[in-house]
Amino acid sequence: MSTEASGMIECRPGARLWGPDDEDSVWRAAIDLFLLNNGNASDALACLFGIRNSFGIRNSFGFSPLAEGRGFPSDASEALRTEYAAYGGPHDVHGTTWITRSELAAADWQGTDSSGTRRRDSVAGDETHWGPVWSVMRTLSELHGADQVRLVVWFH
């Protein structure tokens, strides 16, 4: 049984202009993951988000995930809320989490799974199906700041 990931990249353009606490510094939907063809490779979902990563589960990987189980952000954009609701929200998805561009930039991309044989960059780096996602996030962070760009994902 495969696990699919859906979600969106969001950014807060107003945070750089007025500061992150300003009432006009709200999150805005930037692009749906579907448009970036990120794929659903289980090893990538394991190393990024901890999905199907535990031992005892068929196809487990043993990565230290970057952003596991954070839930749906309370300050999500309206477009993201609408898209999430279309998937059934928390009742019909197998978990939700998010990660900022600054966290991705600080990640150890050379880190390996528990066997020491698979590196994070080889399963979810720039040269994988996740490359277009990271490229869009890098571009938006150059415009708005790395802390003001995030990827929100849920699994089904």
Side-chain angles (χ1 to χ4, degrees):
M1 177 178 169
S2 69
T3 300
E4 300 286 330
S6 296
M8 282 189 173
I9 297 171
E10 292 186 302
C11 63
R12 283 198 306 179
R16 185 170 252 178
L17 300 172
W18 306 295
D21 297 325
D22 188 89
E23 65 184 25
D24 292 326
S25 295
V26 297
W27 289 96
R28 300 185 184 276
I31 191 166
D32 191 304
L33 280 181
F34 178 75
L35 299 174
L36 298 174
N37 190 30
N38 64 300
N40 67 338
S42 294
D43 51 359
L45 297 181
C47 86
L48 295 170
F49 311 116
I51 299 301
R52 301 182 67 79
N53 193 39
S54 302
F55 291 106
I57 297 176
R58 185 170 174 255
N59 296 329
S60 64
F61 299 98
F63 278 100
S64 177
L66 298 180
E68 183 176 19
R70 294 179 172 177
F72 192 82
S74 60
D75 57 353
S77 67
E78 191 59 40
L80 180 63
R81 289 179 189 282
T82 300
E83 185 72 10
Y84 185 63
Y87 281 87
H91 303 292
D92 291 334
V93 301
H94 303 300
T96 306
T97 195
W98 55 270
I99 190 167
T100 65
R101 172 64 191 139
S102 60
E103 291 173 306
L104 289 165
D108 177 8
W109 287 93
Q110 301 304 308
T112 62
D113 64 3
S114 58
S115 72
T117 59
R118 298 178 64 118
R119 286 195 341 242
R120 188 180 310 279
D121 66 343
S122 70
V123 300
D126 285 332
E127 301 303 317
T128 70
H129 286 298
W130 284 87
V133 176
W134 308 147
S135 179
V136 169
M137 290 182 77
R138 267 193 300 276
T139 299
L140 289 171
S141 71
E142 289 170 8
L143 297 169
H144 306 297
D147 287 331
Q148 310 312 320
V149 177
R150 70 181 173 199
L151 169 64
V152 180
V153 292
W154 54 88
F155 311 96
H156 48 97

